[in-house]
Amino acid sequence: MAKKTYDLLFKLLLIGDSGVGKTSILFRFSDDAFTSTFISTIGIDFKIKTVELRGKKIKLQIWDTAGQERFHTITTSYYRGAMGIMLVYDVTDERSFENIVKWLRNIDEHANEDVEKMILGNKCDIDSKRAVNKDRGEAIAREYGVPFLETSAKANTNIDKAFNDLATAILDKFAGKEPGDAPDRVMVDTRRGDTSRRGCC
């Protein structure tokens, strides 16, 4: 059997309204690439990237969900195994920001109780069309006790920091636990795990 090339496996999820830039954030982080011509994600997609944090190799399996309502039942089934969830809104789109509360409610209903969360205000490079100022993003994050960053996939602003901060928060949560509680066993059920190893990246 091939030797494992990582110490821990963390499953992360990107959620938020359609068109806020979830796929762009994922591609910037995984491939350091940006294109403005992404089509909407159909259902669910994922990428894998290994990072090194505190001397451990951590494999991040990052699931990108569709924001459209018609995919809701598909995507909520992925909340359960997630260890970290990024809620993304578009700073040029007031409605996507207002819907963050709805997405937080979805997490409460469908995700594990101890899931780590982070709110991202994406497209912060488009100042001329900004509809949501940074203070409002910080305020809602404070209200719900969730870390907050403004990001830009296009300008590569805070993308690596967002993923690294979220992964570090998950790592810290497991640091004091016994080896048997290591997160490697709670990530993905075996059915999905097998297909994911044959995945694209």
Side-chain angles (χ1 to χ4, degrees), residues 21-153:
K22 299 184 295 295
T23 304
S24 296
I25 287 171
L26 179 54
F27 270 79
R28 173 59 81 184
F29 179 65
S30 64
D31 301 353
D32 195 20
F34 178 82
T35 172
S36 56
T37 55
F38 279 121
I39 54 168
S40 287
T41 302
I42 306 298
I44 197 132
D45 194 9
F46 78 95
K47 289 272 192 183
I48 285 172
K49 182 168 178 175
T50 303
V51 297
E52 193 154 321
L53 293 172
R54 310 223 165 120
K56 289 197 179 295
K57 276 203 165 75
I58 299 171
K59 188 175 185 175
L60 302 179
Q61 185 183 62
I62 309 155
W63 294 84
D64 174 24
T65 63
Q68 295 101 318
E69 198 63 43
R70 69 180 187 275
F71 295 118
H72 188 64
T73 49
I74 305 172
T75 56
T76 51
S77 64
Y78 284 82
Y79 284 47
R80 180 60 59 200
M83 304 172 73
I85 298 181
M86 289 178 166
L87 301 96
V88 186
Y89 70 89
D90 173 354
V91 302
T92 71
D93 180 354
E94 174 80 32
R95 186 173 169 76
S96 72
F97 174 71
E98 290 168 357
N99 282 339
I100 285 293
V101 174
K102 178 194 82 173
W103 291 107
L104 282 161
R105 217 169 25 241
N106 283 346
I107 293 173
D108 287 342
E109 287 171 15
H110 302 288
N112 295 334
E113 211 174 286
D114 63 348
V115 68
E116 289 293 333
K117 300 182 282 277
M118 176 178 275
I119 295 173
L120 301 181
N122 194 38
K123 306 189 187 179
C124 67
D125 58 294
I126 315 178
D127 251 347
S128 58
K129 293 182 182 171
R130 181 185 280 270
V132 183
N133 66 34
K134 192 175 180 180
D135 292 346
R136 291 174 65 198
E138 288 171 341
I140 196 167
R142 253 196 319 276
E143 185 183 338
Y144 287 91
V146 177
F148 169 78
L149 283 172
E150 283 201 338
T151 56
S152 166

Side-chain angles (χ1 to χ4, degrees), residues 8 10 53-56 58 83 114 116 164-178 181 183:
L8 298 166
F10 290 175
L53 293 172
R54 310 223 165 120
K56 289 197 179 295
I58 299 171
M83 304 172 73
D114 63 348
E116 289 293 333
N164 287 337
D165 285 1
L166 189 60
T168 301
I170 297 166
L171 187 60
D172 287 347
K173 179 172 284 180
F174 286 98
K177 298 200 176 182
E178 292 299 307
D181 294 332

